[in-house]
Amino acid sequence: MNSPRLLLAVLLLVSHASWLPAAELSPIELVRRFQLALALKDEPTLRRLALPDPDLAALWEGDKPAVELLNRVCMSLEKVVIQEVQATGKGPERDIVRVQRAVRGRLEPPLAVLRVQGRWRLDARPFVLMALRRLGRSPQANVGKAWEE
């Protein structure tokens, strides 16, 4: 996508439409979609993909990135390697899968993707905490990983 007009048209389409398919996403595909929604600051999609969090709004606060920056971000997301590293059964309604991203060859801490009431959702707390630090704010609540109990 070298044309800024084409990129802008695609981004407008994505940001104003529900672009999640009706079929269930795999944990890896969910993390890929979450990364894109995070780059776009797409509130409806972030809410749909993440577990509830009292500070989730920090992910879409502020101005949306400029088209030129989004082009670079989208190209860099293509280089992120995402793999499932551990599946842990927690009963029929609460499966947990650990998914790990490798960015520029550097492994990041594993992310937790949980199946809650039949749908995979991401524990976005690590992203929320980074956003809060960037905004210079403290978390509203001390949210632990209650799903690990």
Side-chain angles (χ1 to χ4, degrees):
M1 282 192 216
N2 292 333
S3 166
R5 283 186 162 161
L6 177 60
L7 179 62
L8 181 58
V10 169
L11 293 176
L12 287 173
L13 176 65
V14 167
S15 66
H16 289 93
S18 175
W19 47 280
L20 290 176
E24 180 181 358
L25 299 172
S26 71
I28 290 173
E29 185 59 30
L30 182 134
V31 172
R32 288 192 192 288
R33 300 268 173 116
F34 183 86
Q35 289 179 140
L36 181 58
L38 190 60
L40 295 170
K41 295 190 176 190
D42 180 352
E43 177 184 353
T45 302
L46 290 168
R47 284 185 185 276
R48 215 173 11 253
L49 297 177
L51 289 170
D53 187 304
D55 297 304
L56 196 63
L59 297 180
W60 56 81
E61 284 186 27
D63 296 332
K64 294 195 184 245
V67 172
E68 299 81 23
L69 177 62
L70 282 176
N71 190 19
R72 282 183 290 186
V73 168
C74 289
M75 290 177 73
S76 69
L77 288 178
E78 290 178 8
K79 297 175 185 170
V80 175
V81 176
I82 303 172
Q83 62 186 4
E84 188 174 312
V85 292
Q86 178 187 13
T88 309
K90 291 283 186 183
E93 292 296 317
R94 298 203 72 164
D95 296 333
I96 301 173
V97 173
R98 300 272 183 203
V99 176
Q100 193 162 31
R101 300 180 332 151
V103 181
R104 293 186 211 113
R106 179 180 49 85
L107 284 177
E108 294 185 345
L111 301 168
V113 181
L114 292 75
R115 185 189 307 268
V116 179
Q117 298 176 346
R119 285 184 42 213
W120 289 109
R121 311 268 307 262
L122 176 70
D123 176 11
R125 196 66 181 162
F127 296 97
V128 169
L129 292 175
M130 283 189 290
L132 289 171
R133 276 194 297 275
R134 180 179 42 79
L135 295 168
R137 294 202 326 245
S138 298
Q140 291 182 25
N142 185 9
V143 179
K145 296 178 181 173
W147 49 264
E148 284 189 326
E149 299 170 353

